[in-house]
């Protein structure tokens, strides 16, 4: 790749990664990817640094045709053509969102099927969050968490691949060994920050 081409590379955003994960789930549901292929591509999508890295993950899938057409480098793109980030933002984001806030307290929460993003806030407390129904084969569920002097207990079914992308200061998340699955029951991605606290992931 020439120096000029290299300078055009755009950094991938979490929003773009989430949408690529959604497209991969659709391909899996259609029978185009088996569980092993799905997990491999999901892992690569989660660690992608540049938007053009998504091309290899999507170019053989009809579900990713529109995204690949935008991301594939061209010699002289039209001036009015939007960049990858704006195109991905223009496509409706998948799934639904939910949240839980625990301040000096906690409660039991059962996250329903269809939720793909969940927000947790824990301050000197924490909830018991059960993901048994929300996590299914091919599903990627992202938890954005802020934990200060506390943290929640997150319960997952067997077979869930847990990816911890969070940051911590004098704390951090704990993922029990028994809760580390092969991805056959979906993927849980942990993001956010823990300050003198953190969440615990264990089997339901």
């Amino acid at each position: 790749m020439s120096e000029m081409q290299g300078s055009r590379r755009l950094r991938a955003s979490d929003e773009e990664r989430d949408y690529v994960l959604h497209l991969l789930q659709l391909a899996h549901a259609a029978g185009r990817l088996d569980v092993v292929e799905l997990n491999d591509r999901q892992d690569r999508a989660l660690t992608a640094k540049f938007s053009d890295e998504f091309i290899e993950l999507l170019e053989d899938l009809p579900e990713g045709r529109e995204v690949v057409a935008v991301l594939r480098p061209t010699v002289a793109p039209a001036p009015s053509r939007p960049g990858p980030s704006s195109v991905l933002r223009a496509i409706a984001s998948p799934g639904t969102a939910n949240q839980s806030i625990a301040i000096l307290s906690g409660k039991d929460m059962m996250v329903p099927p269809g939720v793909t993003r969940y927000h947790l806030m824990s301050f000197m407390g924490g909830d018991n969050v059960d993901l048994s129904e929300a996590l299914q084969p091919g599903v990627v569920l992202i938890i954005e968490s802020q934990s200060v002097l506390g943290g929640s207990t997150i319960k997952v079914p067997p077979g869930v691949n847990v990816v911890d992308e969070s940051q911590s200061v004098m704390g951090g998340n704990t993922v029990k060994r028994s809760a580390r699955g092969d991805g056959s029951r979906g993927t849980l991605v942990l993001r956010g920050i823990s300050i003198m606290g953190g969440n615990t992931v264990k089997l339901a």
Side-chain angles (χ1 to χ4, degrees):
M1 178 179 293
S2 68
E3 183 178 348
M4 182 176 179
Q5 287 176 317
S7 65
R8 294 177 179 173
R9 298 188 78 188
L10 297 179
R11 288 274 179 170
S13 67
D14 284 341
E15 185 179 15
E16 292 173 348
R17 294 185 189 94
D18 293 348
Y19 188 66
V20 172
L21 292 175
H22 172 62
L23 294 177
L24 293 173
Q25 292 172 39
L26 293 179
H28 170 69
R32 302 187 213 281
L33 299 174
D34 60 30
V35 172
V36 174
E37 293 171 319
L38 176 66
N39 290 340
D40 175 65
R41 296 194 190 200
Q42 286 177 337
D43 289 343
R44 290 161 62 189
L46 287 168
T47 57
K49 292 184 178 180
F50 295 95
S51 297
D52 58 20
E53 294 179 53
F54 300 134
I55 295 175
E56 187 177 354
L57 306 180
L58 299 172
E59 62 184 347
D60 60 346
L61 303 173
E63 292 81 1
R65 186 178 294 120
E66 181 179 356
V67 173
V68 170
V70 172
L71 294 177
R72 191 175 296 283
T74 57
V75 177
S80 60
R81 186 176 185 177
S85 296
S86 60
V87 168
L88 291 180
R89 282 198 296 270
I91 303 173
S93 298
T96 58
N98 215 325
Q99 67 178 0
S100 175
I101 301 175
I103 301 176
L104 295 169
S105 63
K107 54 188 176 297
D108 294 329
M109 302 290 296
M110 175 65 75
V111 179
V115 173
T116 57
R117 186 180 294 273
Y118 198 87
H119 298 269
L120 277 176
M121 178 182 290
S122 305
F123 178 72
M124 298 182 69
D127 292 333
N128 291 313
V129 182
D130 196 329
L131 304 179
S132 299
E133 296 183 1
L135 283 166
Q136 301 293 335
V139 169
V140 176
L141 196 158
I142 298 171
I143 288 186
E144 297 278 359
S145 172
Q146 289 79 43
S147 302
V148 180
L149 295 170
S152 295
T153 298
I154 302 171
K155 301 176 182 179
V156 299
V160 173
N161 178 33
V162 181
V163 180
D164 190 353
E165 298 180 347
S166 64
Q167 300 178 350
S168 60
V169 179
M170 297 179 67
N173 296 320
T174 299
V175 181
K176 300 292 186 181
R177 180 173 298 183
S178 59
R180 297 179 180 274
D182 58 2
S184 59
R185 188 68 183 272
T187 299
L188 171 63
V189 181
L190 302 174
R191 293 178 180 163
I193 187 168
S194 300
I195 301 176
M196 298 180 69
N199 302 305
T200 299
V201 181
K202 67 177 186 178
L203 282 182

